[in-house]
């Protein structure tokens, strides 16, 4: 069906940290949709630019970019997801969306995909799969239950301690992940000291050894009947100071950090490590992947920033075997699909991710299913902005039939 865009309007809303972010509404005859853009804190330096006002907080300039620059170009145009994305890329004209802002551009890109799916009466995940030429499937849940690093009051060695149930269905995996998280809560209550909530809804507290969070997760998984592995996001760009990595007050070279990871892999069921080294230390990624890549997912995030060119380079260099996909790191779905296609052709796994500053938009659930992603990172179900992603995955599974 040919759909003409009749309205395009942005406004500022608040994200899960209470910070302003962009929401875009798009309409055609008979349908209105909206898309909200998340915001990161431990960002990669090569991510596309998130447009903020002079105060570094507001998004009034990004709202103006949508309403005054993008809207006049797309109102009256046929809603064709890839064509609109191409128009947005050309209208911005920079490599990193620094003219319009990736937050302005992404809101329009996602809203366009939603509008077509709504007007054509097809599921969003199906529309995504048709456009990206991927095979839909249900992702594994990467639930971040202990938060450290830039996302928490307590600077635990790593930013995210994640449990990943092996269950085939979302409903079983979600139940298991929540049971494991409850067990973690009970374990933490036995310890001295305050427990707070991190930005992604997991527990945060002071822990004094590298092993301690893994001991807690291992026990908590066992108490839930097993059936899950452990993943971490080391977010090592944030650990890197003055040429070395700082963990719990000790300094590590890339080599000694690799050995520390290997010990953790041997001792615990740790099967997926995101950003084990800082974003420019490609050599350390290459050596680590060559060493452990058969048994462990070595995942790029700050390393790859959902950028098709960088993903291609890292695949060529064999620096990783999995990639985090965050649409706001690049700005359009067209570029997301390119990055995914390059990664898949290299045999990499795809893990679709939220940001630490999230909104009530469940879009990444449809994206993960549509792209046939291996995993989805959506945080802990203690914040509504995280829960809506899980609820959407359950809805896809329950209402639309189980897709494996
Ligand atoms: P961010 O963190 O959203 O704050 O960038 C998430 C991550 O590093 O994966
Ligand atoms: Zn990360």
């Amino acid at each position: 069906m040919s759909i003409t865009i009749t309205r395009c309007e942005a406004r500022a809303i608040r994200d899960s940290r209470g910070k302003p972010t962009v929401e875009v509404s798009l309409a055609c005859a008979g349908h209105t949709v909206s898309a909200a853009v998340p915001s990161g804190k431990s960002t990669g330096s090569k991510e596309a630019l998130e447009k903020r006002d002079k105060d570094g907080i507001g998004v009034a300039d990004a709202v103006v970019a949508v309403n005054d620059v993008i809207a006049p170009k797309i109102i009256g145009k046929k809603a064709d997801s890839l064509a609109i994305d191409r128009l947005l890329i050309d209208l911005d004209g920079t490599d990193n969306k620094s003219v319009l802002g990736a937050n302005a551009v992404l809101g329009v890109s996602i809203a366009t995909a939603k509008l077509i799916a709504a007007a054509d009466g097809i599921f969003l995940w199906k529309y995504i799969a048709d456009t990206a030429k991927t095979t839909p499937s249900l992702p594994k849940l990467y639930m971040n239950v202990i938060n450290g690093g830039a996302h928490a009051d307590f600077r635990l060695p790593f930013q995210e301690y994640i449990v990943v149930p092996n269950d085939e269905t979302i409903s079983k995996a979600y139940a298991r992940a929540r049971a494991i998280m409850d067990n973690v809560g009970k374990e933490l209550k036995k310890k001295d000291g305050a427990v707070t909530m991190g930005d992604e809804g997991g527990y945060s507290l002071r822990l004094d050894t590298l092993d301690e969070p893994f001991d807690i997760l291992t026990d908590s998984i066992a108490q839930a009947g097993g059936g899950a592995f452990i993943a971490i996001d080391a977010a090592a760009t944030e650990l890197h100071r003055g040429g070395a990595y700082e963990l719990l007050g000790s300094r590590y070279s890339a080599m000694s950090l690799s050995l520390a990871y290997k010990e953790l892999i041997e001792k615990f069921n740790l099967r997926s490590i995101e950003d084990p080294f800082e974003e420019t230390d490609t050599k350390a990624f290459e050596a680590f992947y060559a060493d452990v890549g058969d048994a462990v997912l070595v995942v790029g995030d700050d390393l790859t920033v959902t950028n098709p060119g960088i993903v291609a380079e890292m695949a060529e260099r064999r620096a990783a075997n999995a990639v985090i996909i965050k649409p706001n790191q690049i700005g359009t779905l067209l570029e997301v699909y390119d990055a995914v296609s390059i990664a898949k052709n290299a045999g990499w796994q795809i893990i679709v991710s939220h940001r630490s500053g999230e909104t009530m938009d469940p879009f990444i659930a449809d994206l993960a299913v549509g792209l046939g992603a291996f995993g989805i990172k959506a945080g802990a179900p203690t914040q509504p902005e995280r829960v809506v992603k899980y609820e959407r995955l359950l809805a896809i599974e329950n209402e639309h039939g189980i897709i494996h």
Side-chain angles (χ1 to χ4, degrees):
M1 202 208 304
S2 181
I3 303 147
T4 304
I5 298 171
T6 55
R7 192 166 73 85
C8 170
E9 216 172 281
R11 65 192 187 100
I13 60 166
R14 299 275 161 175
D15 72 13
S16 53
R17 279 190 282 252
K19 240 179 114 181
T21 190
V22 176
E23 183 179 67
V24 173
S25 292
L26 214 58
C28 64
H31 295 276
T32 302
V33 298
S34 62
V37 180
S39 176
K41 196 194 260 177
S42 85
T43 50
S45 63
K46 294 194 186 121
E47 291 191 24
L49 180 101
E50 178 184 68
K51 205 183 211 15
R52 294 272 169 196
D53 302 343
K54 283 202 181 66
D55 63 5
I57 301 167
V59 291
D61 291 351
V63 167
V64 167
V66 174
N67 292 344
D68 292 3
V69 186
I70 298 173
K73 296 279 187 213
I74 68 167
I75 289 172
K77 282 240 156 53
K78 184 173 169 264
D80 170 325
S81 187
L82 299 181
I84 294 288
D85 284 358
R86 177 53 58 201
L87 181 152
L88 292 168
I89 292 165
D90 292 344
L91 189 60
D92 177 84
T94 65
D95 283 345
N96 68 345
K97 313 286 182 305
S98 56
V99 172
L100 298 170
N103 43 353
V105 168
L106 182 65
V108 177
S109 174
I110 293 177
T112 304
K114 286 187 180 186
L115 190 67
I116 301 164
D120 279 351
I122 59 172
F123 300 128
L124 183 54
W125 55 266
K126 176 81 170 70
Y127 176 72
I128 289 167
D130 290 349
T131 316
K133 301 193 171 52
T134 45
T135 307
S137 65
L138 297 171
K140 291 193 181 299
L141 306 183
Y142 269 60
M143 188 186 281
N144 177 10
V145 297
I146 302 179
N147 298 181
H151 294 162
D153 297 329
F154 298 100
R155 309 220 32 122
L156 287 159
F158 304 122
Q159 179 177 285
E160 298 171 21
Y161 295 87
I162 299 163
V163 293
V164 189
N166 295 321
D167 302 85
E168 287 275 294
T169 66
I170 298 289
S171 52
K172 283 189 184 144
Y174 191 38
R176 190 182 302 275
R178 282 184 292 126
I180 295 168
M181 181 159 175
D182 287 347
N183 296 339
V184 171
K186 284 179 206 143
E187 291 290 319
L188 296 185
K189 279 209 189 80
K190 295 181 199 156
K191 300 201 174 274
D192 292 336
V195 178
T196 62
M197 187 194 276
D199 284 2
E200 296 190 350
Y203 297 108
S204 180
L205 77 163
R206 229 186 97 90
L207 293 170
D208 297 317
T209 67
L210 277 189
D211 280 7
E212 222 175 326
F214 293 95
D215 282 327
I216 293 167
L217 289 183
T218 303
D219 291 348
S220 300
I221 290 170
Q223 287 161 28
F229 66 86
I230 299 172
I232 57 170
D233 181 2
T237 307
E238 306 280 327
L239 303 172
H240 198 250
R241 271 165 229 110
Y245 296 92
E246 260 180 42
L247 281 82
L248 296 170
S250 303
R251 290 174 69 75
Y252 292 69
S253 64
M255 179 68 88
S256 57
L257 186 57
S258 298
L259 291 174
Y261 290 132
K262 282 178 73 175
E263 264 177 43
L264 291 170
I265 291 165
E266 269 157 35
K267 264 198 217 165
F268 304 101
N269 196 16
L270 172 60
R271 291 287 159 263
S272 176
I273 306 183
E274 179 180 336
D275 281 346
F277 308 99
E278 61 97 9
E279 60 188 359
T280 64
D281 201 351
T282 315
K283 286 216 157 55
F285 273 89
E286 288 167 15
F288 190 57
Y289 169 70
D291 205 3
V292 305
D294 284 348
V296 175
L297 287 182
V298 178
V299 188
D301 174 17
D302 290 354
L303 178 78
T304 36
V305 292
T306 317
N307 182 310
I310 301 177
V311 172
E313 185 193 335
M314 294 305 151
E316 175 93 356
R317 293 179 68 158
R318 300 174 65 81
N321 55 2
V323 66
I324 293 290
I325 294 293
K326 292 169 172 167
N328 80 325
Q329 285 180 323
I330 189 71
T332 65
L333 292 179
L334 183 153
E335 291 158 291
V336 166
Y337 303 155
D338 277 352
V340 166
S341 154
I342 292 164
K344 286 199 169 191
N345 284 337
W348 286 19
Q349 297 288 11
I350 307 297
I351 302 169
V352 169
S353 174
H354 66 160
R355 299 306 304 242
S356 52
E358 258 302 332
T359 74
M360 293 298 284
D361 191 330
F363 176 73
I364 58 160
D366 284 85
L367 184 67
V369 173
L371 294 177
F374 174 79
I376 182 169
K377 288 177 68 180
T382 55
Q383 298 177 345
E385 294 83 356
R386 319 289 163 190
V387 173
V388 289
K389 278 69 166 175
Y390 292 111
E391 293 295 341
R392 177 68 193 133
L393 288 169
L394 289 167
I396 293 172
E397 173 168 274
N398 294 339
E399 293 166 19
H400 313 325
I402 297 173
I403 349 155
H404 284 298

